[in-house]
Amino acid sequence: MKDTVFPPRPTPAIPVKGRAGFPVGRIFCVGRNYADHAAEMGYAVDREAPFYFTKSAHAVLLSGQDMSYPPRTADLHHEMELVVAIGRTAKDIAEVDAMDMVYGYGCGLDMTRRDLQAAAKEKRRPWDTGKDFDNAAIIAPLTPKADDAEIGDLVIRLDVNGETRQQATLSDMVWSIPEIIADLSTLYTLHPGDLIMTGTPAGVGPVVKGDVLRGTIGDFDPVETTII
Ligand code: MN
């Protein structure tokens, strides 16, 4: 096949400091990966296995752009998360090899139409309309992984209008980065360009038009947006 009936939709690319962009493949999201967030949502942490949902690459909004308040919701929530960027093909990867698959890290916001998600949960339906919608994955510029970098001590934090709403350390995650990559790679073949949003700490809550969100993890580039 040498042509397409219309030009393909461009692949979103996340800026990387001083380098070409990181083209996004799939976006995998980990559910309930901080015990205090699981508790605030009314769940105990399940140590049996992590679980996932996905967002389309076309849900990406680059940090620094405004987010239009999305349709069909009256309860748009912020979830501040560490984003792990995959740089190599990974299938059935052992935990001990998993960090070799990581290209880098970033700050991300898993924006959520909480009312639609709650309705889906109640009816035992999929979460897609609550989680995977236009501009629902706000991603900051990536920081390439340093060879021996240990990031567990980094503080993850989200401020709304200058007031801290979420704060934890990355080592609070129930499932570690290598555990997540190893497990995901038994469910899917991971490819360069895939992103993993690794779950959010406690403190999630609603945002309204005019709110200014700023999320940080250590000295990674912050994720920033204004709701309009
Ligand atoms: Mn999340």
Side-chain angles (χ1 to χ4, degrees):
M1 189 170 66
K2 69 184 202 323
D3 211 352
T4 54
V5 296
F6 50 81
R9 196 170 167 187
T11 299
I14 312 298
V16 182
K17 250 179 218 156
R19 307 188 199 194
F22 182 94
V24 180
R26 304 191 67 175
I27 304 174
F28 300 97
C29 305
V30 183
R32 295 174 207 149
N33 202 27
Y34 290 78
D36 55 357
H37 170 63
E40 75 179 347
M41 300 301 289
Y43 299 93
V45 161
D46 180 1
R47 267 304 304 190
E48 200 174 304
F51 74 92
Y52 312 97
F53 57 91
T54 61
K55 294 182 191 249
S56 162
H58 297 291
V60 166
L61 179 71
L62 296 181
S63 175
Q65 299 183 329
D66 295 338
M67 180 188 189
S68 295
Y69 197 92
R72 299 282 295 270
T73 183
D75 198 22
L76 176 67
H77 274 211
H78 57 76
E79 294 192 359
M80 176 63 199
E81 313 205 357
L82 169 72
V83 176
V84 175
I86 298 295
R88 293 173 60 185
T89 301
K91 183 175 165 60
D92 293 330
I93 294 296
E95 266 178 50
V96 65
D97 298 321
M99 293 308 290
D100 294 340
M101 307 299 127
V102 175
Y103 171 80
Y105 303 109
C107 294
L109 284 164
D110 165 13
M111 300 303 291
T112 302
R113 292 192 280 212
R114 192 71 75 200
D115 41 4
L116 297 190
Q117 185 200 26
K121 282 181 182 175
E122 193 178 336
K123 295 187 173 175
R124 308 183 72 158
R125 289 176 178 169
W127 291 5
D128 301 48
T129 60
K131 286 292 195 178
D132 183 12
F133 54 94
D134 294 348
N135 304 321
I138 310 178
I139 313 289
L142 300 176
T143 298
K145 183 189 68 167
D147 279 344
D148 53 355
E150 177 45 60
I151 65 168
D153 291 339
L154 298 183
V155 172
I156 178 171
R157 180 173 133 185
L158 179 75
D159 291 354
V160 179
N161 305 325
E163 183 181 305
T164 300
R165 294 265 189 97
Q166 296 187 269
Q167 185 165 323
T169 56
L170 293 180
S171 58
D172 292 336
M173 287 197 289
V174 175
W175 299 97
S176 69
I177 296 166
E179 285 173 328
I180 293 164
I181 292 171
D183 185 66
L184 255 185
S185 79
T186 66
L187 289 163
Y188 303 93
T189 302
L190 302 177
H191 293 279
D194 289 344
L195 299 178
I196 305 172
M197 303 189 79
T198 55
T200 197
V204 302
V207 291
V208 296
K209 286 184 184 179
D211 281 351
V212 177
L213 283 61
R214 185 173 194 276
T216 57
I217 300 173
D219 59 2
F220 298 158
D221 281 1
V223 59
E224 296 172 300
T225 194
T226 299
I227 310 296
I228 61 170

